[in-house]
Amino acid sequence: MKHMAAATLRAQLNRFRPQLGDLVTSIVVAVYLLLFLNVTFWSKAGLYLKNDPSAYAALWVAIFALFAIGTVAVSIKYIIKPVLILYIAVATAAAWFTDTYGVFVDTDMVRNAFETTKAETQDLLTPGLIKHFALYFFLPTAFLTWIRIVHQPFGRKIRQNVITIFVCLIVFVSLGAAFYKPYSAVVRTKRDLVKTLNPITPLVSTTKYILGASQEIIISVKPVGVDAKN
């Protein structure tokens, strides 16, 4: 009886859960990352491209297309929610340090984060950081966890995702080519702009750090193995 009552309760609660398609969910998360967790990036971009408003407007579309590629590519059942939550977590943390302290989450910053002591970590847990995470991470991810994502049949999903990613890639490349001159000038002379793009830069920096650390471990272990063999 208890199991039946629990099942009935879950069924009733599920009736009130909003449903979103996998593609719509991916696009919504891409828009959220674009609008709310890249304040510093857009502030700098607006400053650096103030003499070319068309390039600035096109950059919004290009970065949205780039984010959409990253979110649509992971819109697979059992994977989509954890990965999208990871994107939001990384972007939220990076946005706090970039917007508040002007710190870029590059490879050196990631290394320092991994080597931070417990005492130093406690010093970073300020009321402002907690409020920031409550607003920009816990609320959206709670909603993302709550909703029911409706997935298309596998074949249709593959076609849908491939077409969406292809269109976004065409948009990104086309705009990059159309405004190559102002974009290349900014990237070449204002390197700090790309370093504030969340969550792409933190994810790339973390990957570089992990690969570098793994390589260091392999190099340090090799002589030990040679000595033991001899």
Side-chain angles (χ1 to χ4, degrees):
M1 291 293 293
K2 290 183 178 180
H3 292 296
M4 292 179 61
T8 302
L9 179 60
R10 282 196 299 270
Q12 290 177 346
L13 291 175
N14 285 335
R15 291 172 56 190
F16 297 99
R17 290 177 64 188
Q19 296 183 4
L20 287 179
D22 51 356
L23 180 60
V24 174
T25 303
S26 300
I27 297 301
V28 168
V29 172
V31 171
Y32 176 72
L33 294 171
L34 186 79
L35 296 180
F36 295 99
L37 297 177
N38 278 283
V39 174
T40 298
F41 176 85
W42 292 117
S43 176
K44 288 180 177 292
L47 177 63
Y48 299 154
L49 295 170
K50 62 182 179 181
N51 295 325
D52 195 339
S54 296
Y56 178 66
L59 186 61
W60 278 89
V61 180
I63 297 301
F64 165 72
L66 183 62
F67 283 2
I69 291 172
T71 55
V72 172
V74 299
S75 60
I76 304 169
K77 195 172 184 179
Y78 306 119
I79 294 178
I80 180 171
K81 283 188 178 183
V83 177
L84 293 184
I85 289 173
L86 173 65
Y87 286 170
I88 296 173
V90 171
T92 301
W96 168 255
F97 289 104
T98 301
D99 298 347
T100 306
Y101 304 109
V103 175
F104 303 138
V105 186
D106 54 13
T107 307
D108 292 333
M109 175 65 177
V110 173
R111 181 181 296 107
N112 292 335
F114 275 97
E115 297 174 356
T116 300
T117 63
K118 183 178 179 180
E120 291 172 334
T121 302
Q122 291 176 342
D123 291 337
L124 294 174
L125 296 177
T126 62
L129 175 62
I130 295 172
K131 181 180 178 181
H132 176 80
F133 262 83
L135 182 60
Y136 293 104
F137 174 71
F138 290 112
L139 284 180
T141 55
F143 178 75
L144 182 60
T145 303
W146 178 46
I147 65 172
R148 180 185 298 169
I149 298 179
V150 180
H151 293 272
Q152 299 285 346
F154 185 74
R156 188 183 302 172
K157 175 193 285 287
I158 292 296
R159 290 194 300 271
Q160 168 188 277
N161 288 4
V162 169
I163 292 172
T164 303
I165 291 173
F166 180 74
V167 170
C168 289
L169 185 60
I170 292 297
V171 169
F172 180 76
V173 172
S174 299
L175 290 175
F179 295 94
Y180 175 78
K181 188 174 180 179
Y183 291 164
S184 61
V186 168
V187 171
R188 186 174 61 253
T189 60
K190 307 293 184 181
R191 297 181 181 273
D192 58 322
L193 178 62
V194 176
K195 292 182 179 181
T196 61
L197 184 59
N198 300 319
I200 293 177
T201 297
L203 288 173
V204 171
S205 299
T206 303
T207 302
K208 286 182 178 179
Y209 169 77
I210 293 174
L211 292 175
S214 301
Q215 190 64 30
E216 290 176 3
I217 292 173
I218 293 172
I219 292 173
S220 63
V221 167
K222 276 186 177 180
V224 176
V226 172
D227 292 341
K229 190 173 181 179
N230 294 334

mmCIF file of all heavy atoms in Angstrom, residues 39-82:
data_model
loop_
_atom_site.group_PDB
_atom_site.id
_atom_site.type_symbol
_atom_site.label_atom_id
_atom_site.label_comp_id
_atom_site.label_asym_id
_atom_site.label_seq_id
_atom_site.Cartn_x
_atom_site.Cartn_y
_atom_site.Cartn_z
ATOM 1 N N VAL A 39 28.812 39.226 -18.301
ATOM 2 C CA VAL A 39 28.675 40.679 -18.176
ATOM 3 C C VAL A 39 29.981 41.389 -18.539
ATOM 4 O O VAL A 39 29.987 42.368 -19.303
ATOM 5 C CB VAL A 39 28.238 41.056 -16.746
ATOM 6 C CG1 VAL A 39 28.240 42.577 -16.571
ATOM 7 C CG2 VAL A 39 26.861 40.487 -16.445
ATOM 8 N N THR A 40 31.090 40.903 -17.999
ATOM 9 C CA THR A 40 32.378 41.537 -18.277
ATOM 10 C C THR A 40 32.744 41.429 -19.750
ATOM 11 O O THR A 40 33.247 42.385 -20.353
ATOM 12 C CB THR A 40 33.489 40.907 -17.418
ATOM 13 O OG1 THR A 40 33.196 41.127 -16.033
ATOM 14 C CG2 THR A 40 34.842 41.520 -17.732
ATOM 15 N N PHE A 41 32.494 40.273 -20.333
ATOM 16 C CA PHE A 41 32.804 40.085 -21.759
ATOM 17 C C PHE A 41 32.069 41.105 -22.608
ATOM 18 O O PHE A 41 32.680 41.763 -23.473
ATOM 19 C CB PHE A 41 32.430 38.663 -22.190
ATOM 20 C CG PHE A 41 32.634 38.403 -23.660
ATOM 21 C CD1 PHE A 41 33.870 38.031 -24.139
ATOM 22 C CD2 PHE A 41 31.582 38.554 -24.564
ATOM 23 C CE1 PHE A 41 34.074 37.799 -25.498
ATOM 24 C CE2 PHE A 41 31.769 38.327 -25.919
ATOM 25 C CZ PHE A 41 33.020 37.943 -26.386
ATOM 26 N N TRP A 42 30.769 41.255 -22.380
ATOM 27 C CA TRP A 42 29.995 42.175 -23.216
ATOM 28 C C TRP A 42 30.329 43.630 -22.922
ATOM 29 O O TRP A 42 30.258 44.487 -23.812
ATOM 30 C CB TRP A 42 28.504 41.907 -23.046
ATOM 31 C CG TRP A 42 28.115 40.589 -23.613
ATOM 32 C CD1 TRP A 42 27.609 39.511 -22.961
ATOM 33 C CD2 TRP A 42 28.243 40.186 -24.981
ATOM 34 N NE1 TRP A 42 27.415 38.464 -23.820
ATOM 35 C CE2 TRP A 42 27.797 38.847 -25.068
ATOM 36 C CE3 TRP A 42 28.693 40.828 -26.144
ATOM 37 C CZ2 TRP A 42 27.792 38.143 -26.271
ATOM 38 C CZ3 TRP A 42 28.690 40.119 -27.345
ATOM 39 C CH2 TRP A 42 28.238 38.803 -27.396
ATOM 40 N N SER A 43 30.713 43.914 -21.697
ATOM 41 C CA SER A 43 31.138 45.262 -21.361
ATOM 42 C C SER A 43 32.416 45.628 -22.123
ATOM 43 O O SER A 43 32.533 46.713 -22.702
ATOM 44 C CB SER A 43 31.370 45.376 -19.852
ATOM 45 O OG SER A 43 31.877 46.650 -19.518
ATOM 46 N N LYS A 44 33.374 44.705 -22.116
ATOM 47 C CA LYS A 44 34.631 44.938 -22.831
ATOM 48 C C LYS A 44 34.403 44.963 -24.339
ATOM 49 O O LYS A 44 34.984 45.796 -25.053
ATOM 50 C CB LYS A 44 35.642 43.846 -22.466
ATOM 51 C CG LYS A 44 36.204 43.952 -21.052
ATOM 52 C CD LYS A 44 37.194 42.851 -20.779
ATOM 53 C CE LYS A 44 37.818 42.978 -19.404
ATOM 54 N NZ LYS A 44 38.697 44.164 -19.292
ATOM 55 N N ALA A 45 33.570 44.051 -24.837
ATOM 56 C CA ALA A 45 33.300 44.014 -26.271
ATOM 57 C C ALA A 45 32.655 45.312 -26.739
ATOM 58 O O ALA A 45 32.994 45.844 -27.808
ATOM 59 C CB ALA A 45 32.388 42.832 -26.600
ATOM 60 N N GLY A 46 31.715 45.835 -25.959
ATOM 61 C CA GLY A 46 31.077 47.096 -26.300
ATOM 62 C C GLY A 46 32.067 48.246 -26.330
ATOM 63 O O GLY A 46 31.976 49.143 -27.175
ATOM 64 N N LEU A 47 33.051 48.209 -25.401
ATOM 65 C CA LEU A 47 34.072 49.254 -25.356
ATOM 66 C C LEU A 47 35.029 49.139 -26.541
ATOM 67 O O LEU A 47 35.333 50.139 -27.211
ATOM 68 C CB LEU A 47 34.849 49.147 -24.050
ATOM 69 C CG LEU A 47 36.008 50.130 -23.854
ATOM 70 C CD1 LEU A 47 35.489 51.567 -23.814
ATOM 71 C CD2 LEU A 47 36.772 49.800 -22.574
ATOM 72 N N TYR A 48 35.474 47.936 -26.825
ATOM 73 C CA TYR A 48 36.462 47.733 -27.887
ATOM 74 C C TYR A 48 35.855 47.893 -29.279
ATOM 75 O O TYR A 48 36.580 48.190 -30.238
ATOM 76 C CB TYR A 48 37.097 46.343 -27.763
ATOM 77 C CG TYR A 48 37.832 46.112 -26.456
ATOM 78 C CD1 TYR A 48 37.998 44.835 -25.938
ATOM 79 C CD2 TYR A 48 38.355 47.181 -25.735
ATOM 80 C CE1 TYR A 48 38.669 44.611 -24.747
ATOM 81 C CE2 TYR A 48 39.018 46.975 -24.534
ATOM 82 C CZ TYR A 48 39.168 45.690 -24.041
ATOM 83 O OH TYR A 48 39.832 45.479 -22.856
ATOM 84 N N LEU A 49 34.553 47.660 -29.415
ATOM 85 C CA LEU A 49 33.901 47.764 -30.722
ATOM 86 C C LEU A 49 32.951 48.960 -30.784
ATOM 87 O O LEU A 49 32.007 48.972 -31.580
ATOM 88 C CB LEU A 49 33.127 46.475 -31.026
ATOM 89 C CG LEU A 49 33.970 45.210 -31.205
ATOM 90 C CD1 LEU A 49 33.078 43.970 -31.265
ATOM 91 C CD2 LEU A 49 34.829 45.309 -32.472
ATOM 92 N N LYS A 50 33.193 49.964 -29.975
ATOM 93 C CA LYS A 50 32.282 51.105 -29.900
ATOM 94 C C LYS A 50 32.210 51.878 -31.218
ATOM 95 O O LYS A 50 31.215 52.551 -31.500
ATOM 96 C CB LYS A 50 32.687 52.040 -28.768
ATOM 97 C CG LYS A 50 34.070 52.659 -28.930
ATOM 98 C CD LYS A 50 34.407 53.544 -27.732
ATOM 99 C CE LYS A 50 35.801 54.145 -27.865
ATOM 100 N NZ LYS A 50 36.136 54.993 -26.683
ATOM 101 N N ASN A 51 33.259 51.787 -32.021
ATOM 102 C CA ASN A 51 33.257 52.492 -33.306
ATOM 103 C C ASN A 51 32.662 51.658 -34.432
ATOM 104 O O ASN A 51 32.608 52.125 -35.580
ATOM 105 C CB ASN A 51 34.689 52.905 -33.674
ATOM 106 C CG ASN A 51 35.263 53.928 -32.708
ATOM 107 O OD1 ASN A 51 34.538 54.789 -32.208
ATOM 108 N ND2 ASN A 51 36.552 53.829 -32.434
ATOM 109 N N ASP A 52 32.262 50.433 -34.115
ATOM 110 C CA ASP A 52 31.680 49.561 -35.139
ATOM 111 C C ASP A 52 30.477 48.826 -34.532
ATOM 112 O O ASP A 52 30.567 47.650 -34.183
ATOM 113 C CB ASP A 52 32.724 48.559 -35.634
ATOM 114 C CG ASP A 52 32.311 47.889 -36.936
ATOM 115 O OD1 ASP A 52 31.098 47.883 -37.239
ATOM 116 O OD2 ASP A 52 33.188 47.369 -37.647
ATOM 117 N N PRO A 53 29.343 49.505 -34.395
ATOM 118 C CA PRO A 53 28.165 48.887 -33.773
ATOM 119 C C PRO A 53 27.658 47.655 -34.517
ATOM 120 O O PRO A 53 27.080 46.752 -33.907
ATOM 121 C CB PRO A 53 27.118 50.008 -33.775
ATOM 122 C CG PRO A 53 27.597 50.999 -34.788
ATOM 123 C CD PRO A 53 29.085 50.910 -34.778
ATOM 124 N N SER A 54 27.863 47.606 -35.818
ATOM 125 C CA SER A 54 27.426 46.430 -36.583
ATOM 126 C C SER A 54 28.227 45.193 -36.165
ATOM 127 O O SER A 54 27.662 44.098 -36.011
ATOM 128 C CB SER A 54 27.601 46.677 -38.084
ATOM 129 O OG SER A 54 26.775 47.734 -38.515
ATOM 130 N N ALA A 55 29.515 45.375 -35.966
ATOM 131 C CA ALA A 55 30.362 44.256 -35.530
ATOM 132 C C ALA A 55 29.974 43.815 -34.128
ATOM 133 O O ALA A 55 29.974 42.610 -33.821
ATOM 134 C CB ALA A 55 31.830 44.668 -35.578
ATOM 135 N N TYR A 56 29.636 44.781 -33.283
ATOM 136 C CA TYR A 56 29.228 44.451 -31.914
ATOM 137 C C TYR A 56 27.918 43.674 -31.922
ATOM 138 O O TYR A 56 27.778 42.653 -31.211
ATOM 139 C CB TYR A 56 29.084 45.729 -31.099
ATOM 140 C CG TYR A 56 28.625 45.504 -29.675
ATOM 141 C CD1 TYR A 56 29.433 44.830 -28.765
ATOM 142 C CD2 TYR A 56 27.383 45.964 -29.246
ATOM 143 C CE1 TYR A 56 29.018 44.625 -27.454
ATOM 144 C CE2 TYR A 56 26.962 45.767 -27.946
ATOM 145 C CZ TYR A 56 27.782 45.092 -27.049
ATOM 146 O OH TYR A 56 27.362 44.879 -25.758
ATOM 147 N N ALA A 57 26.950 44.119 -32.715
ATOM 148 C CA ALA A 57 25.661 43.413 -32.808
ATOM 149 C C ALA A 57 25.852 42.015 -33.379
ATOM 150 O O ALA A 57 25.248 41.043 -32.902
ATOM 151 C CB ALA A 57 24.691 44.219 -33.668
ATOM 152 N N ALA A 58 26.696 41.894 -34.398
ATOM 153 C CA ALA A 58 26.949 40.588 -35.007
ATOM 154 C C ALA A 58 27.647 39.649 -34.029
ATOM 155 O O ALA A 58 27.436 38.425 -34.082
ATOM 156 C CB ALA A 58 27.802 40.758 -36.265
ATOM 157 N N LEU A 59 28.446 40.220 -33.131
ATOM 158 C CA LEU A 59 29.157 39.392 -32.151
ATOM 159 C C LEU A 59 28.171 38.689 -31.216
ATOM 160 O O LEU A 59 28.394 37.537 -30.829
ATOM 161 C CB LEU A 59 30.130 40.255 -31.341
ATOM 162 C CG LEU A 59 31.048 39.497 -30.368
ATOM 163 C CD1 LEU A 59 31.948 38.519 -31.120
ATOM 164 C CD2 LEU A 59 31.894 40.481 -29.559
ATOM 165 N N TRP A 60 27.088 39.364 -30.870
ATOM 166 C CA TRP A 60 26.055 38.739 -30.044
ATOM 167 C C TRP A 60 25.499 37.488 -30.741
ATOM 168 O O TRP A 60 25.355 36.432 -30.111
ATOM 169 C CB TRP A 60 24.907 39.729 -29.794
ATOM 170 C CG TRP A 60 25.168 40.699 -28.692
ATOM 171 C CD1 TRP A 60 25.770 41.915 -28.788
ATOM 172 C CD2 TRP A 60 24.841 40.530 -27.300
ATOM 173 N NE1 TRP A 60 25.831 42.524 -27.553
ATOM 174 C CE2 TRP A 60 25.263 41.703 -26.624
ATOM 175 C CE3 TRP A 60 24.222 39.526 -26.578
ATOM 176 C CZ2 TRP A 60 25.092 41.878 -25.255
ATOM 177 C CZ3 TRP A 60 24.047 39.703 -25.197
ATOM 178 C CH2 TRP A 60 24.474 40.859 -24.559
ATOM 179 N N VAL A 61 25.217 37.623 -32.013
ATOM 180 C CA VAL A 61 24.659 36.493 -32.767
ATOM 181 C C VAL A 61 25.690 35.378 -32.900
ATOM 182 O O VAL A 61 25.376 34.191 -32.734
ATOM 183 C CB VAL A 61 24.187 36.958 -34.156
ATOM 184 C CG1 VAL A 61 23.607 35.787 -34.946
ATOM 185 C CG2 VAL A 61 23.155 38.076 -34.039
ATOM 186 N N ALA A 62 26.942 35.758 -33.164
ATOM 187 C CA ALA A 62 28.001 34.766 -33.348
ATOM 188 C C ALA A 62 28.265 33.982 -32.061
ATOM 189 O O ALA A 62 28.398 32.749 -32.088
ATOM 190 C CB ALA A 62 29.282 35.447 -33.824
ATOM 191 N N ILE A 63 28.319 34.678 -30.934
ATOM 192 C CA ILE A 63 28.586 33.997 -29.665
ATOM 193 C C ILE A 63 27.391 33.138 -29.259
ATOM 194 O O ILE A 63 27.561 32.035 -28.722
ATOM 195 C CB ILE A 63 28.911 35.013 -28.559
ATOM 196 C CG1 ILE A 63 30.202 35.772 -28.907
ATOM 197 C CG2 ILE A 63 29.085 34.312 -27.215
ATOM 198 C CD1 ILE A 63 31.423 34.884 -29.071
ATOM 199 N N PHE A 64 26.173 33.612 -29.548
ATOM 200 C CA PHE A 64 25.009 32.773 -29.285
ATOM 201 C C PHE A 64 25.087 31.491 -30.110
ATOM 202 O O PHE A 64 24.812 30.396 -29.598
ATOM 203 C CB PHE A 64 23.712 33.511 -29.631
ATOM 204 C CG PHE A 64 22.524 32.597 -29.721
ATOM 205 C CD1 PHE A 64 21.969 32.038 -28.583
ATOM 206 C CD2 PHE A 64 21.987 32.248 -30.962
ATOM 207 C CE1 PHE A 64 20.891 31.170 -28.659
ATOM 208 C CE2 PHE A 64 20.914 31.383 -31.051
ATOM 209 C CZ PHE A 64 20.368 30.832 -29.890
ATOM 210 N N ALA A 65 25.459 31.596 -31.375
ATOM 211 C CA ALA A 65 25.593 30.405 -32.220
ATOM 212 C C ALA A 65 26.646 29.460 -31.656
ATOM 213 O O ALA A 65 26.450 28.231 -31.647
ATOM 214 C CB ALA A 65 25.964 30.820 -33.648
ATOM 215 N N LEU A 66 27.753 30.013 -31.169
ATOM 216 C CA LEU A 66 28.810 29.187 -30.575
ATOM 217 C C LEU A 66 28.312 28.466 -29.329
ATOM 218 O O LEU A 66 28.556 27.262 -29.145
ATOM 219 C CB LEU A 66 30.013 30.072 -30.227
ATOM 220 C CG LEU A 66 31.240 29.372 -29.663
ATOM 221 C CD1 LEU A 66 31.821 28.385 -30.666
ATOM 222 C CD2 LEU A 66 32.295 30.404 -29.256
ATOM 223 N N PHE A 67 27.595 29.189 -28.469
ATOM 224 C CA PHE A 67 27.050 28.574 -27.254
ATOM 225 C C PHE A 67 26.011 27.509 -27.603
ATOM 226 O O PHE A 67 25.949 26.463 -26.956
ATOM 227 C CB PHE A 67 26.416 29.633 -26.360
ATOM 228 C CG PHE A 67 27.411 30.457 -25.581
ATOM 229 C CD1 PHE A 67 28.768 30.261 -25.730
ATOM 230 C CD2 PHE A 67 26.980 31.432 -24.694
ATOM 231 C CE1 PHE A 67 29.682 31.017 -25.011
ATOM 232 C CE2 PHE A 67 27.886 32.186 -23.964
ATOM 233 C CZ PHE A 67 29.248 31.987 -24.123
ATOM 234 N N ALA A 68 25.196 27.793 -28.604
ATOM 235 C CA ALA A 68 24.170 26.829 -29.011
ATOM 236 C C ALA A 68 24.806 25.532 -29.505
ATOM 237 O O ALA A 68 24.295 24.435 -29.239
ATOM 238 C CB ALA A 68 23.275 27.430 -30.096
ATOM 239 N N ILE A 69 25.921 25.640 -30.205
ATOM 240 C CA ILE A 69 26.632 24.442 -30.646
ATOM 241 C C ILE A 69 27.032 23.604 -29.438
ATOM 242 O O ILE A 69 26.865 22.378 -29.415
ATOM 243 C CB ILE A 69 27.879 24.819 -31.471
ATOM 244 C CG1 ILE A 69 27.458 25.424 -32.816
ATOM 245 C CG2 ILE A 69 28.778 23.597 -31.698
ATOM 246 C CD1 ILE A 69 28.614 25.994 -33.622
ATOM 247 N N GLY A 70 27.567 24.275 -28.401
ATOM 248 C CA GLY A 70 28.013 23.565 -27.206
ATOM 249 C C GLY A 70 26.891 22.934 -26.409
ATOM 250 O O GLY A 70 27.079 21.859 -25.817
ATOM 251 N N THR A 71 25.722 23.569 -26.387
ATOM 252 C CA THR A 71 24.610 23.012 -25.610
ATOM 253 C C THR A 71 23.829 21.965 -26.392
ATOM 254 O O THR A 71 23.433 20.943 -25.842
ATOM 255 C CB THR A 71 23.653 24.133 -25.155
ATOM 256 O OG1 THR A 71 23.215 24.893 -26.292
ATOM 257 C CG2 THR A 71 24.347 25.066 -24.162
ATOM 258 N N VAL A 72 23.632 22.200 -27.681
ATOM 259 C CA VAL A 72 22.898 21.227 -28.499
ATOM 260 C C VAL A 72 23.698 19.936 -28.645
ATOM 261 O O VAL A 72 23.134 18.839 -28.665
ATOM 262 C CB VAL A 72 22.561 21.820 -29.881
ATOM 263 C CG1 VAL A 72 21.970 20.754 -30.808
ATOM 264 C CG2 VAL A 72 21.576 22.980 -29.738
ATOM 265 N N ALA A 73 25.013 20.048 -28.722
ATOM 266 C CA ALA A 73 25.862 18.872 -28.909
ATOM 267 C C ALA A 73 25.748 17.881 -27.761
ATOM 268 O O ALA A 73 26.018 16.689 -27.937
ATOM 269 C CB ALA A 73 27.322 19.297 -29.090
ATOM 270 N N VAL A 74 25.344 18.351 -26.571
ATOM 271 C CA VAL A 74 25.256 17.453 -25.405
ATOM 272 C C VAL A 74 23.803 17.136 -25.043
ATOM 273 O O VAL A 74 23.547 16.603 -23.960
ATOM 274 C CB VAL A 74 25.972 18.064 -24.179
ATOM 275 C CG1 VAL A 74 27.445 18.280 -24.483
ATOM 276 C CG2 VAL A 74 25.316 19.378 -23.742
ATOM 277 N N SER A 75 22.872 17.442 -25.954
ATOM 278 C CA SER A 75 21.443 17.219 -25.657
ATOM 279 C C SER A 75 21.074 15.754 -25.862
ATOM 280 O O SER A 75 20.252 15.414 -26.709
ATOM 281 C CB SER A 75 20.554 18.126 -26.505
ATOM 282 O OG SER A 75 20.758 17.870 -27.881
ATOM 283 N N ILE A 76 21.718 14.904 -25.091
ATOM 284 C CA ILE A 76 21.508 13.458 -25.141
ATOM 285 C C ILE A 76 20.914 13.022 -23.798
ATOM 286 O O ILE A 76 21.319 13.499 -22.739
ATOM 287 C CB ILE A 76 22.836 12.721 -25.396
ATOM 288 C CG1 ILE A 76 23.475 13.244 -26.694
ATOM 289 C CG2 ILE A 76 22.628 11.215 -25.456
ATOM 290 C CD1 ILE A 76 24.883 12.779 -26.905
ATOM 291 N N LYS A 77 19.970 12.115 -23.846
ATOM 292 C CA LYS A 77 19.309 11.654 -22.628
ATOM 293 C C LYS A 77 20.336 11.162 -21.615
ATOM 294 O O LYS A 77 21.297 10.481 -21.985
ATOM 295 C CB LYS A 77 18.318 10.540 -22.969
ATOM 296 C CG LYS A 77 17.320 10.246 -21.860
ATOM 297 C CD LYS A 77 16.249 9.266 -22.341
ATOM 298 C CE LYS A 77 15.190 9.048 -21.261
ATOM 299 N NZ LYS A 77 14.133 8.111 -21.721
ATOM 300 N N TYR A 78 20.129 11.502 -20.354
ATOM 301 C CA TYR A 78 20.983 11.154 -19.220
ATOM 302 C C TYR A 78 22.293 11.951 -19.179
ATOM 303 O O TYR A 78 23.027 11.887 -18.202
ATOM 304 C CB TYR A 78 21.325 9.651 -19.180
ATOM 305 C CG TYR A 78 20.121 8.752 -19.219
ATOM 306 C CD1 TYR A 78 19.935 7.844 -20.254
ATOM 307 C CD2 TYR A 78 19.140 8.827 -18.223
ATOM 308 C CE1 TYR A 78 18.824 7.015 -20.301
ATOM 309 C CE2 TYR A 78 18.023 8.004 -18.258
ATOM 310 C CZ TYR A 78 17.863 7.100 -19.291
ATOM 311 O OH TYR A 78 16.759 6.289 -19.326
ATOM 312 N N ILE A 79 22.578 12.699 -20.228
ATOM 313 C CA ILE A 79 23.807 13.491 -20.268
ATOM 314 C C ILE A 79 23.504 14.984 -20.247
ATOM 315 O O ILE A 79 24.244 15.769 -19.658
ATOM 316 C CB ILE A 79 24.632 13.143 -21.531
ATOM 317 C CG1 ILE A 79 25.141 11.709 -21.449
ATOM 318 C CG2 ILE A 79 25.803 14.106 -21.710
ATOM 319 C CD1 ILE A 79 25.918 11.273 -22.671
ATOM 320 N N ILE A 80 22.407 15.382 -20.878
ATOM 321 C CA ILE A 80 22.118 16.790 -21.084
ATOM 322 C C ILE A 80 22.076 17.586 -19.770
ATOM 323 O O ILE A 80 22.716 18.639 -19.663
ATOM 324 C CB ILE A 80 20.806 16.979 -21.889
ATOM 325 C CG1 ILE A 80 20.509 18.469 -22.099
ATOM 326 C CG2 ILE A 80 19.620 16.262 -21.249
ATOM 327 C CD1 ILE A 80 19.367 18.727 -23.065
ATOM 328 N N LYS A 81 21.362 17.087 -18.772
ATOM 329 C CA LYS A 81 21.239 17.859 -17.532
ATOM 330 C C LYS A 81 22.575 18.005 -16.797
ATOM 331 O O LYS A 81 22.949 19.126 -16.420
ATOM 332 C CB LYS A 81 20.174 17.245 -16.623
ATOM 333 C CG LYS A 81 18.747 17.556 -17.060
ATOM 334 C CD LYS A 81 17.731 17.101 -16.029
ATOM 335 C CE LYS A 81 16.316 17.469 -16.446
ATOM 336 N NZ LYS A 81 15.306 17.093 -15.431
ATOM 337 N N PRO A 82 23.323 16.904 -16.562
ATOM 338 C CA PRO A 82 24.608 17.062 -15.862
ATOM 339 C C PRO A 82 25.574 17.997 -16.578
ATOM 340 O O PRO A 82 26.243 18.814 -15.936
ATOM 341 C CB PRO A 82 25.160 15.630 -15.800
ATOM 342 C CG PRO A 82 23.963 14.761 -15.900
ATOM 343 C CD PRO A 82 23.006 15.479 -16.791
#
